[in-house]
Amino acid sequence: MPSVFEKVLVANRGEIALRVIRACRELGVASVAVYSEADARAPHVREADEAVLLGPAPSSESYLKGDRIIEAAKRVGAQAIHPGYGFLSEREWFARAVRDAGLTFIGPPAEAIAAMGSKTAARKLAIAAGTPVVPGTTTALRDADEAADVAERFGYPVLLKAAAGGGGKGMRVVQRREELASALASAQREARNAFGDDAVYVEKYIVGPRHVEIQVLGDQHGTMLHLGERECSIQRRHQKMIEEAPSVAVTPELRARMGEAAVAAARAAGYTNAGTCEFLLDRNGEFYFLEMNTRIQVEHPVTELVMGVDLVQWQLRIAAGERLPFTQEALVPRGWAIECRITSEDPANGFLPSTGRVHYLHVPTGPGVRWDGGIETGSEVTLHYDPMLAKLIVWAPDRPHAIARMHRALLELTIDGVDTSRDFHLRMMENADFRSGDIEIQWLERHLAELAATQPPHESVVRAAIAAVLLSESDRGRRQPTSSAAADASRAAPAGSHWLEVARREALR
Ligand code: ADP
């Protein structure tokens, strides 16, 4: 195997830092972790070959300290920096500063990040490349009167969007003229607070579309390929929760057309490395470019599993100057992959963030199961960072089997100590609309209440109780079934169920 880099610094934390460290190790590259004081005992710090402390827990004093990170990379003799996602991954200045320091930024050129950095600039670029965009404007609104004129032209409902937006911030749906002025003011305020830029523009609000995105990969020698689509329509507050590849709504012919549109937009931006073009796909099969994410994405594993391509390893290899050896024709999805984001949020309580110590973690294994996690038994979950703890990903030959496999894997998963989105995902895998593929981006918001009201399957209650029994015993150093969790287990398991036996046996062991 050709040598890529000798040493790479991973400027991130959690599951994505581990993911990059694993790619480095498989390529024979030494990895350097960075960490905050809160993460001193985090798995990514232990798994890397070296680790550098950045500063106190808040990201503004640690993971966002670009200068300190570059300085650390130089000090330890790393040749390149992988930014992961979030934090500094889409900051043009950081990509530029890494390059100016004589290091390689594992991602697109700073100029491409800039070109795609604002939604309005990206829209202009996409239009010029012939890629269809959502009807709307490409410049910031001056005031509510201008917004009203534009909205009149496209027809209500419209969506106000922050040009610098990300993570669903600075977005407002407006149904009527009367709502426009206050929605604009609040979108501008939110955008200013989140991004330091209050530019807001208008898009037509598309009713009932799917979110379908295309993965692209381009080397430094002119090859730009797409690796098919990911379906990301299961969203809450414009944030993805479940992703799949391929999409039930995409035929090979549509995949080719969307792929070409994504490649054209990426080329127009002078893009290299891994990136994603996000589209809305409406009921008539028309698709519209939303934006380009100039980094590796959370949901990249589903593409890896159906395409048999290690995207993170290719990020390193492309950055080191290697050529992509694939042809577009050879990149055909095989089977089906689904990813569930396991977050520290309580679905039974309006997805309220949950914090605490992970007392016990049991990770699913078995055929076709992949766990990209950033936690372990003993991890502290705090409010300093993103609530995503891990991603559970499965592959199977077709969608029904992938859903069955995900359901099975979720049943095996036990996280004790913090509330998580696990039971929400179990209910999703049992949901008739999800199972038939009849979903769109507004589906989840409409069904949240009814999903929250559904009882979790009794197996999961019993498993959690068993975990609690084992834990209380090891904590107290004795082996007696005194824990109230044993009683919970007995109550939760229906009479005659083998679960009752399992719970008893475990409690008495
Ligand atoms: P962000 O960068 O903040 O995530 P995006 O532009 O990617 O914002 O949009 C996030 C989500 O909001 C999309 O996945 C989609 O669900 C919804 N959305 C965005 N634009 C529109 C639109 N014009 N019509 C309907 N829904 C939209």
Side-chain angles (χ1 to χ4, degrees), residues 104-168:
T104 301
F105 179 77
I106 301 178
E111 292 72 17
I113 298 178
M116 289 296 187
S118 109
K119 287 187 203 287
T120 41
R123 282 166 65 79
K124 282 184 204 147
L125 210 110
I127 293 166
T131 301
V133 301
V134 183
T137 58
T138 51
T139 49
L141 293 164
R142 278 189 311 272
D143 50 35
D145 286 341
E146 188 191 358
D149 287 348
V150 178
E152 223 56 69
R153 191 144 41 93
F154 296 111
Y156 288 92
V158 294
L159 186 61
L160 301 178
K161 268 188 171 182

Side-chain angles (χ1 to χ4, degrees), residues 119 161 166-168 203-204 206 211 235 238 278 291 441:
K119 287 187 203 287
K161 268 188 171 182
E203 276 179 18
K204 170 87 190 140
I206 314 257
H211 174 118
Q235 301 184 350
H238 311 297
E278 298 190 326
E291 63 167 347
I441 58 171

Side-chain angles (χ1 to χ4, degrees), residues 215-265:
Q215 174 73 52
V216 300
L217 205 51
D219 66 20
Q220 299 184 45
H221 308 280
T223 299
M224 177 70 69
L225 300 167
H226 74 83
L227 287 90
E229 78 281 5
R230 290 185 286 262
E231 158 80 61
C232 312
S233 297
I234 298 296
Q235 301 184 350
R236 183 179 157 268
R237 301 200 174 154
H238 311 297
Q239 296 274 42
K240 300 161 190 166
M241 303 210 47
I242 299 176
E243 299 98 341
E244 353 178 4
S247 161
V248 291
V250 176
T251 60
E253 184 269 334
L254 180 57
R255 178 172 306 127
R257 279 199 293 131
M258 292 183 78
E260 275 164 33
V263 163

Side-chain angles (χ1 to χ4, degrees), residues 12 16 37-38 41 58 78 108 114 126 136 158 172 179 205 224 248-249 255 269 277 372 382 400 404 473:
N12 216 298
I16 193 62
E37 284 163 6
R41 298 200 300 170
V158 294
R172 292 288 182 282
E179 299 166 7
Y205 184 66
M224 177 70 69
V248 291
R255 178 172 306 127
C277 289
D372 279 22
T382 68
E473 288 183 358

Side-chain angles (χ1 to χ4, degrees), residues 236 241 343-353 421 424 444 448:
R236 183 179 157 268
M241 303 210 47
T343 60
S344 51
E345 296 171 312
D346 182 6
N349 203 355
F351 286 83
L352 205 71
S421 56
F424 160 80
L444 182 55
L448 266 178

Side-chain angles (χ1 to χ4, degrees), residues 36-336:
S36 70
E37 284 163 6
D39 279 341
R41 298 200 300 170
H44 80 278
V45 178
R46 203 177 47 242
E47 289 302 323
D49 295 300
E50 287 173 61
V52 178
L53 174 66
L54 291 174
S59 347
S60 58
E61 295 177 54
S62 50
Y63 296 103
L64 289 172
K65 284 274 181 211
D67 294 346
R68 210 171 287 168
I69 290 169
I70 292 170
E71 199 186 287
K74 287 170 74 174
R75 198 169 59 239
V76 300
Q79 294 101 43
I81 297 182
H82 194 303
Y85 52 69
F87 295 130
L88 297 167
S89 60
E90 293 184 285
R91 306 284 169 93
E92 175 204 356
W93 67 263
F94 182 66
R96 207 178 284 282
V98 171
R99 187 169 66 195
D100 291 348
L103 304 170
T104 301
F105 179 77
I106 301 178
E111 292 72 17
I113 298 178
M116 289 296 187
S118 109
K119 287 187 203 287
T120 41
R123 282 166 65 79
K124 282 184 204 147
L125 210 110
I127 293 166
T131 301
V133 301
V134 183
T137 58
T138 51
T139 49
L141 293 164
R142 278 189 311 272
D143 50 35
D145 286 341
E146 188 191 358
D149 287 348
V150 178
E152 223 56 69
R153 191 144 41 93
F154 296 111
Y156 288 92
V158 294
L159 186 61
L160 301 178
K161 268 188 171 182
K169 292 205 180 71
M171 274 172 44
R172 292 288 182 282
V173 183
V174 183
Q175 303 287 354
R176 288 175 283 282
R177 170 74 178 90
E178 305 83 75
E179 299 166 7
L180 202 52
S182 73
L184 179 63
S186 75
Q188 286 172 328
R189 202 177 325 114
E190 195 170 299
R192 200 179 314 116
N193 290 339
F195 316 111
D197 174 1
D198 66 1
V200 167
Y201 70 101
V202 188
E203 276 179 18
K204 170 87 190 140
Y205 184 66
I206 314 257
V207 179
R210 290 169 183 267
H211 174 118
V212 176
E213 59 188 31
I214 301 282
Q215 174 73 52
V216 300
L217 205 51
D219 66 20
Q220 299 184 45
H221 308 280
T223 299
M224 177 70 69
L225 300 167
H226 74 83
L227 287 90
E229 78 281 5
R230 290 185 286 262
E231 158 80 61
C232 312
S233 297
I234 298 296
Q235 301 184 350
R236 183 179 157 268
R237 301 200 174 154
H238 311 297
Q239 296 274 42
K240 300 161 190 166
M241 303 210 47
I242 299 176
E243 299 98 341
E244 353 178 4
S247 161
V248 291
V250 176
T251 60
E253 184 269 334
L254 180 57
R255 178 172 306 127
R257 279 199 293 131
M258 292 183 78
E260 275 164 33
V263 163
R267 275 194 191 286
Y271 205 86
T272 60
N273 218 291
T276 298
C277 289
E278 298 190 326
F279 294 94
L280 293 178
L281 176 64
D282 75 13
R283 287 162 192 273
N284 306 319
E286 298 294 327
F287 59 89
Y288 308 96
F289 173 86
L290 274 183
E291 63 167 347
M292 182 165 191
N293 291 136
T294 57
R295 54 170 161 80
I296 192 77
Q297 278 187 291
V298 171
E299 58 271 26
H300 75 274
V302 293
T303 299
E304 295 189 320
L305 294 181
V306 295
M307 287 298 183
V309 172
D310 189 312
L311 288 169
V312 178
Q313 286 193 15
W314 274 109
Q315 284 197 289
L316 269 79
R317 296 172 70 168
I318 286 168
E322 273 191 50
R323 285 173 190 275
L324 284 171
F326 320 110
T327 60
Q328 189 62 66
E329 296 67 43
L331 292 168
V332 178
R334 194 183 134 259
W336 213 277

